[in-house]
Amino acid sequence: MARRVREHLDATLPRVWGDLLEVAASAREQLGQARTLIEPDQWQAALGGEVERLTENGQLEHATERLLSKLERTLFDSPKTGLVSLVGAGPGDPELLTLKALRRVQAADAVVHDRLVSAEVLAFASPHAERYDVGKSAHGGGSTQRDIERLLIDLACQGKRVVRLKGGDPFVFGRGGEEALALARAGIPFEVVPGVSAALAAPAAAGIPVTHRGLSSSVTIATGHDTSAHDWHALAQTSGTLVFMMAVEHLDTICAQLIGHGRPTSEPAAIVQWATTSKQHIVLASLGGIATAAREAGIEAPAVLVVGPTAALSGRLAPEGTHAEAVAV
Ligand SMILES: C[S@@+](CC[C@H](N)C(=O)[O-])C[C@H]1O[C@@H](n2cnc3c(N)ncnc32)[C@H](O)[C@@H]1O
């Protein structure tokens, strides 16, 4: 359809119109769900001026970028509708924030954040932005999930640009799905801005490739919190890398279950705590020894447990001086 419209325009109208259509389509796609909040007259205004000039010059990529930034500004300057952005803040290092996440945080009227979002990332928010720390502790203190959902809805109903900032990726053990469903039910416009999950960033920062030709052809991300939820036989029988999040409290159970269901006690394992931050701490041991090694090293949350042959590569690939303990694997 778009191709036919384009052909028709090319045949009947100046070429720039067809190119403008292409630029608009590309910006529309990149805006995702947020595009539904932009009115036709706002599109028309944004397509004029510099966007039109760049398009005329054949600089379609630049024109798209310019259009996108004009539309985003329009979107966030619009006082009539609130928008909730469920934003992944990455694993801790502020440089691992995506460009889109940065833009949303800078433009936010209200930032609703978790405990694990680093102070450096929060510092990108405007000093005028309202801040709500709704972090839940490992033992369930802090706001309830229902309180958080209600707060997001209230703020959006006040017409605010709300950024719900979560560690890592909002949809990886971040309860982002529940919040998205609550917003959808309440008819609140929202978008999801994916983030770099600690599930992948922590092994990477510790020099552990989660897949590696000849060593691991799959990666499974599991919770270490609700250990009764797993089919341990199935988990142990996968030959690839296993990554457990929220693993510290039940380390003994996790390792015992994996060994009990067939993973060798000698299998390489690693714990990576505070990955990508200045407090990063890596402990390497065999699967049979990692729980004791982690305890001796004083490991506490947040940390991920990585189990699989590639964990042994950490000894060679981790940045120098980052292993506090390395037990023979
Ligand atoms: C509630 S889950 C949230 C996960 C997050 N949504 C993500 O995608 O990274 C919290 C767990 O993520 C892991 N985690 C988060 N940040 C981490 C970091 N910087 N280093 C190691 N583990 C981290 C820990 O296992 C922690 O217990």
Side-chain angles (χ1 to χ4, degrees), residues 152-177:
L152 296 178
I153 293 167
D154 281 355
L155 291 168
C157 286
Q158 294 166 35
K160 292 185 172 142
R161 300 161 286 187
V162 184
V163 165
R164 171 67 174 116
L165 202 51
K166 290 166 170 291
D169 180 273
F171 280 2
V172 179
F173 297 121
R175 305 191 73 168

Side-chain angles (χ1 to χ4, degrees), residues 112-174:
V112 180
H113 66 91
D114 280 350
R115 200 172 39 100
L116 278 182
V117 174
S118 67
E120 291 100 317
V121 169
L122 287 172
F124 288 124
S126 150
H128 307 295
E130 297 167 26
R131 286 158 200 246
Y132 299 87
D133 177 356
V134 293
K136 293 193 269 299
S137 75
H139 303 287
S143 312
T144 66
Q145 190 57 32
R146 186 78 194 98
D147 292 339
I148 297 171
E149 289 162 13
R150 231 180 260 140
L151 176 64
L152 296 178
I153 293 167
D154 281 355
L155 291 168
C157 286
Q158 294 166 35
K160 292 185 172 142
R161 300 161 286 187
V162 184
V163 165
R164 171 67 174 116
L165 202 51
K166 290 166 170 291
D169 180 273
F171 280 2
V172 179
F173 297 121

Side-chain angles (χ1 to χ4, degrees), residues 90-92 116 166-174 195-199 202 244-247 272-277 301-304:
L116 278 182
K166 290 166 170 291
D169 180 273
F171 280 2
V172 179
F173 297 121
V196 177
S197 174
F244 287 91
M245 307 188 85
M246 300 165 280
V272 191
Q273 182 192 26
W274 285 119
T276 80
T277 74
V304 301

Side-chain angles (χ1 to χ4, degrees), residues 207-218 241 309-311 313 316-317:
I208 304 171
V210 286
T211 67
H212 189 86
R213 202 144 53 97
L215 281 182
S216 169
S217 59
S218 68
T241 308
T310 60
L313 295 179
R316 282 156 59 195
L317 302 181

Side-chain angles (χ1 to χ4, degrees), residues 195-245:
V196 177
S197 174
L200 301 177
I208 304 171
V210 286
T211 67
H212 189 86
R213 202 144 53 97
L215 281 182
S216 169
S217 59
S218 68
V219 53
T220 304
I221 301 167
T223 170
H225 183 59
D226 187 4
T227 49
S228 60
H230 296 312
D231 176 346
W232 284 103
H233 182 72
L235 268 184
Q237 291 307 310
T238 60
S239 58
T241 308
L242 301 173
V243 177
F244 287 91
M245 307 188 85

